[in-house]
Amino acid sequence: YFGLFTRIEYLSVYISGPVFLLFAVTLFPRFFFELRFGQQIVRIITGACVLFGAVTLVAPPLFFARYTMLPFQVCIVLGGGLISYSVSRAALARQEGALMFLLGWIVLFLTVLSDILGSYRLLSAEFLLPAGLLVFLFAQAALLAIRFTGAFRRIEHLTARLEVQNRALEESAAEQGRQARSFERFVPGAFLELLEKQSVRDVEAGDAKMRDMSVLFCDIRGFTTMSEGLGPEASFQFLNDYLQRMEPIIESHVGFVDKYLGDAILALFTESSGSTSTSSAGNGSAPHTDISGDRALGAALVMRERLRELNVERAARDEPELKIGIGINSGEMMLGTLGSQNRLDTTVIGTPVNMASRRESPTSVYGCAILISDFTVNGLRRYADVPMREVGTLLVKGRTEPSGVYEVY
């Protein structure tokens, strides 16, 4: 067993050299590899020590004890010098833990040199390597403690920064949400969907799409005379109260208000696919049908009923009765944006829009609240059986054939 134990002893010594060197390189790689030949020296020393270890496995003990120990000791001296120089540079650069590593390494390296010189009887000293190794291990324990403490402090600092950034992101997201909701007051989200835009920031002047829709015009009769008696502030209060009652009805029927024209409302209802579903009439909402004319007429009927409720409240306050006129038409029309880079507005244009406006105007002549076109009547499904009668025809400028006008009562 003597030969086996000798091989193990020499092999452990030869392996320890590159282990210490690579350990130092791992801790402070920049200060090793910044040297002109630092990387090459590390590879040469590591390769030589691996070669010496391989020799111990195959050569007779007397051979490797005589011919490999001196080259190994030279490699140890060169590697120790490289470690001392590189870690000294790291300590001067105030690299974390470099000074503690350097102090432990100097003690270990001096004990190694002392033992090497003692083996050649050039120095009379005790075998000091175990003591130097113990000091080095204590230094590394202190180094690891320093690095762990530093890492923990950095984690705490990063956590605090992340919390601040998360709060900032949450506040930014909330602000963006508030801005988006504010934008929707001026540019409806449904309008953006019809233009196939993700955000109001994507909208440019001239963006337009052709859509098959129904358009609803609603106007308060005699509002000009009424507003003169109310005054500016009271007129705005009255209009806001009135519009806040009517706009939710349009929205509940899957429509949206394109714009307010003083006391008038221009609302749009689009076609969509899907099954018919109903909701509570007590909420003022109606079936979400897939026909735009059904949606528009359903909204008009509820708006008329809501006006009756409002007039009951006004009568209790000895205020005059309100009357509205609603005109509905269906067809293909163009919706888009008009204006310049500094000022944009959404709008809808086309003959069906003009015809809807022309149907709202005669409501006062016929003494009714709702007039719709034959184009809308012919497309009705759910409200096809609503009581209505044809009251006449209307010829719109630009068309050669008159269009039928129906009163819904």
Short mmCIF file of all heavy atoms in Angstrom, two decimals, residues 25-46:
data_model
loop_
_atom_site.label_atom_id
_atom_site.label_comp_id
_atom_site.label_asym_id
_atom_site.label_seq_id
_atom_site.Cartn_x
_atom_site.Cartn_y
_atom_site.Cartn_z
N VAL A 25 -8.79 33.12 -9.52
CA VAL A 25 -9.24 33.66 -10.81
C VAL A 25 -10.77 33.82 -10.81
O VAL A 25 -11.31 34.80 -11.34
CB VAL A 25 -8.79 32.74 -11.96
CG1 VAL A 25 -9.43 33.16 -13.27
CG2 VAL A 25 -7.28 32.77 -12.08
N THR A 26 -11.47 32.87 -10.20
CA THR A 26 -12.93 32.95 -10.16
C THR A 26 -13.41 34.14 -9.35
O THR A 26 -14.39 34.80 -9.70
CB THR A 26 -13.51 31.66 -9.55
OG1 THR A 26 -13.07 30.54 -10.32
CG2 THR A 26 -15.02 31.69 -9.53
N LEU A 27 -12.70 34.46 -8.26
CA LEU A 27 -13.09 35.58 -7.42
C LEU A 27 -12.79 36.93 -8.06
O LEU A 27 -13.58 37.88 -7.94
CB LEU A 27 -12.39 35.49 -6.06
CG LEU A 27 -12.82 34.35 -5.14
CD1 LEU A 27 -11.96 34.34 -3.88
CD2 LEU A 27 -14.29 34.47 -4.78
N PHE A 28 -11.63 37.03 -8.75
CA PHE A 28 -11.22 38.32 -9.32
C PHE A 28 -10.78 38.14 -10.78
O PHE A 28 -9.61 38.36 -11.11
CB PHE A 28 -10.08 38.92 -8.49
CG PHE A 28 -10.34 38.92 -7.02
CD1 PHE A 28 -9.73 37.97 -6.19
CD2 PHE A 28 -11.21 39.84 -6.45
CE1 PHE A 28 -9.98 37.96 -4.83
CE2 PHE A 28 -11.45 39.83 -5.08
CZ PHE A 28 -10.84 38.89 -4.26
N PRO A 29 -11.65 37.70 -11.66
CA PRO A 29 -11.25 37.37 -13.04
C PRO A 29 -10.70 38.56 -13.81
O PRO A 29 -9.76 38.41 -14.59
CB PRO A 29 -12.54 36.85 -13.65
CG PRO A 29 -13.64 37.44 -12.83
CD PRO A 29 -13.10 37.52 -11.44
N ARG A 30 -11.26 39.74 -13.58
CA ARG A 30 -10.85 40.90 -14.39
C ARG A 30 -9.39 41.24 -14.15
O ARG A 30 -8.67 41.62 -15.09
CB ARG A 30 -11.74 42.09 -14.03
CG ARG A 30 -11.39 43.37 -14.78
CD ARG A 30 -12.52 44.38 -14.63
NE ARG A 30 -12.68 44.81 -13.25
CZ ARG A 30 -12.03 45.85 -12.69
NH1 ARG A 30 -11.15 46.53 -13.42
NH2 ARG A 30 -12.24 46.19 -11.45
N PHE A 31 -8.93 41.10 -12.92
CA PHE A 31 -7.57 41.49 -12.59
C PHE A 31 -6.54 40.47 -13.03
O PHE A 31 -5.35 40.76 -13.07
CB PHE A 31 -7.48 41.76 -11.08
CG PHE A 31 -8.36 42.87 -10.62
CD1 PHE A 31 -9.63 42.61 -10.13
CD2 PHE A 31 -7.94 44.19 -10.73
CE1 PHE A 31 -10.45 43.63 -9.72
CE2 PHE A 31 -8.76 45.23 -10.32
CZ PHE A 31 -10.01 44.95 -9.81
N PHE A 32 -6.97 39.27 -13.36
CA PHE A 32 -6.07 38.27 -13.94
C PHE A 32 -6.01 38.43 -15.46
O PHE A 32 -4.93 38.45 -16.05
CB PHE A 32 -6.55 36.86 -13.58
CG PHE A 32 -6.19 36.43 -12.19
CD1 PHE A 32 -7.02 36.73 -11.12
CD2 PHE A 32 -5.00 35.74 -11.94
CE1 PHE A 32 -6.70 36.33 -9.84
CE2 PHE A 32 -4.68 35.33 -10.66
CZ PHE A 32 -5.52 35.63 -9.60
N PHE A 33 -7.16 38.54 -16.07
CA PHE A 33 -7.22 38.53 -17.53
C PHE A 33 -6.88 39.87 -18.16
O PHE A 33 -6.70 39.97 -19.37
CB PHE A 33 -8.60 38.07 -17.99
CG PHE A 33 -8.94 36.67 -17.57
CD1 PHE A 33 -10.22 36.32 -17.21
CD2 PHE A 33 -7.93 35.70 -17.52
CE1 PHE A 33 -10.52 35.03 -16.82
CE2 PHE A 33 -8.23 34.40 -17.13
CZ PHE A 33 -9.52 34.06 -16.77
N GLU A 34 -6.80 40.94 -17.32
CA GLU A 34 -6.35 42.23 -17.85
C GLU A 34 -4.85 42.24 -18.11
O GLU A 34 -4.35 43.08 -18.86
CB GLU A 34 -6.72 43.36 -16.89
CG GLU A 34 -8.18 43.79 -16.96
CD GLU A 34 -8.47 44.93 -16.01
OE1 GLU A 34 -7.60 45.23 -15.16
OE2 GLU A 34 -9.57 45.50 -16.09
N LEU A 35 -4.12 41.32 -17.46
CA LEU A 35 -2.67 41.23 -17.68
C LEU A 35 -2.40 40.75 -19.09
O LEU A 35 -3.18 40.02 -19.69
CB LEU A 35 -2.06 40.26 -16.67
CG LEU A 35 -2.22 40.64 -15.19
CD1 LEU A 35 -1.61 39.56 -14.31
CD2 LEU A 35 -1.56 41.98 -14.91
N ARG A 36 -1.26 41.15 -19.62
CA ARG A 36 -0.95 40.89 -21.02
C ARG A 36 -0.94 39.39 -21.32
O ARG A 36 -1.49 38.94 -22.32
CB ARG A 36 0.40 41.50 -21.36
CG ARG A 36 0.77 41.38 -22.83
CD ARG A 36 2.04 42.11 -23.13
NE ARG A 36 2.37 42.01 -24.55
CZ ARG A 36 3.46 42.53 -25.11
NH1 ARG A 36 4.33 43.21 -24.34
NH2 ARG A 36 3.69 42.38 -26.40
N PHE A 37 -0.31 38.61 -20.42
CA PHE A 37 -0.25 37.16 -20.62
C PHE A 37 -0.92 36.41 -19.47
O PHE A 37 -0.62 35.24 -19.22
CB PHE A 37 1.21 36.69 -20.76
CG PHE A 37 1.93 37.32 -21.92
CD1 PHE A 37 2.89 38.29 -21.69
CD2 PHE A 37 1.63 36.94 -23.22
CE1 PHE A 37 3.56 38.88 -22.75
CE2 PHE A 37 2.30 37.53 -24.29
CZ PHE A 37 3.27 38.50 -24.06
N GLY A 38 -1.84 37.08 -18.78
CA GLY A 38 -2.46 36.48 -17.60
C GLY A 38 -3.20 35.20 -17.92
O GLY A 38 -3.02 34.18 -17.24
N GLN A 39 -4.02 35.21 -18.96
CA GLN A 39 -4.81 34.03 -19.30
C GLN A 39 -3.92 32.88 -19.74
O GLN A 39 -4.16 31.72 -19.37
CB GLN A 39 -5.81 34.40 -20.40
CG GLN A 39 -6.86 33.32 -20.66
CD GLN A 39 -7.95 33.81 -21.58
OE1 GLN A 39 -7.91 34.94 -22.05
NE2 GLN A 39 -8.92 32.96 -21.85
N GLN A 40 -2.86 33.19 -20.50
CA GLN A 40 -1.95 32.14 -20.97
C GLN A 40 -1.19 31.51 -19.80
O GLN A 40 -0.99 30.29 -19.76
CB GLN A 40 -0.95 32.72 -21.99
CG GLN A 40 -1.58 33.08 -23.32
CD GLN A 40 -2.22 34.46 -23.31
OE1 GLN A 40 -2.40 35.06 -22.26
NE2 GLN A 40 -2.54 34.96 -24.50
N ILE A 41 -0.76 32.35 -18.83
CA ILE A 41 -0.02 31.82 -17.67
C ILE A 41 -0.91 30.89 -16.86
O ILE A 41 -0.48 29.81 -16.41
CB ILE A 41 0.51 32.98 -16.79
CG1 ILE A 41 1.55 33.79 -17.57
CG2 ILE A 41 1.11 32.45 -15.50
CD1 ILE A 41 2.02 35.03 -16.85
N VAL A 42 -2.15 31.26 -16.66
CA VAL A 42 -3.08 30.42 -15.91
C VAL A 42 -3.24 29.08 -16.60
O VAL A 42 -3.23 28.01 -15.96
CB VAL A 42 -4.44 31.13 -15.77
CG1 VAL A 42 -5.49 30.17 -15.20
CG2 VAL A 42 -4.30 32.35 -14.87
N ARG A 43 -3.37 29.10 -17.92
CA ARG A 43 -3.55 27.85 -18.66
C ARG A 43 -2.30 26.98 -18.59
O ARG A 43 -2.39 25.75 -18.44
CB ARG A 43 -3.89 28.16 -20.12
CG ARG A 43 -5.29 28.73 -20.31
CD ARG A 43 -5.53 29.07 -21.77
NE ARG A 43 -6.89 29.57 -21.97
CZ ARG A 43 -7.35 30.02 -23.15
NH1 ARG A 43 -6.52 30.03 -24.21
NH2 ARG A 43 -8.58 30.45 -23.26
N ILE A 44 -1.11 27.59 -18.69
CA ILE A 44 0.14 26.82 -18.66
C ILE A 44 0.32 26.15 -17.30
O ILE A 44 0.65 24.95 -17.21
CB ILE A 44 1.34 27.74 -18.99
CG1 ILE A 44 1.27 28.17 -20.46
CG2 ILE A 44 2.65 27.03 -18.69
CD1 ILE A 44 2.30 29.22 -20.84
N ILE A 45 0.13 26.92 -16.22
CA ILE A 45 0.31 26.36 -14.88
C ILE A 45 -0.71 25.25 -14.62
O ILE A 45 -0.36 24.17 -14.10
CB ILE A 45 0.19 27.47 -13.82
CG1 ILE A 45 1.36 28.46 -13.97
CG2 ILE A 45 0.16 26.88 -12.42
CD1 ILE A 45 1.25 29.66 -13.06
N THR A 46 -1.95 25.48 -15.00
CA THR A 46 -2.99 24.47 -14.80
C THR A 46 -2.69 23.21 -15.60
O THR A 46 -2.78 22.07 -15.09
CB THR A 46 -4.36 25.03 -15.22
OG1 THR A 46 -4.64 26.21 -14.46
CG2 THR A 46 -5.46 24.00 -14.97
#
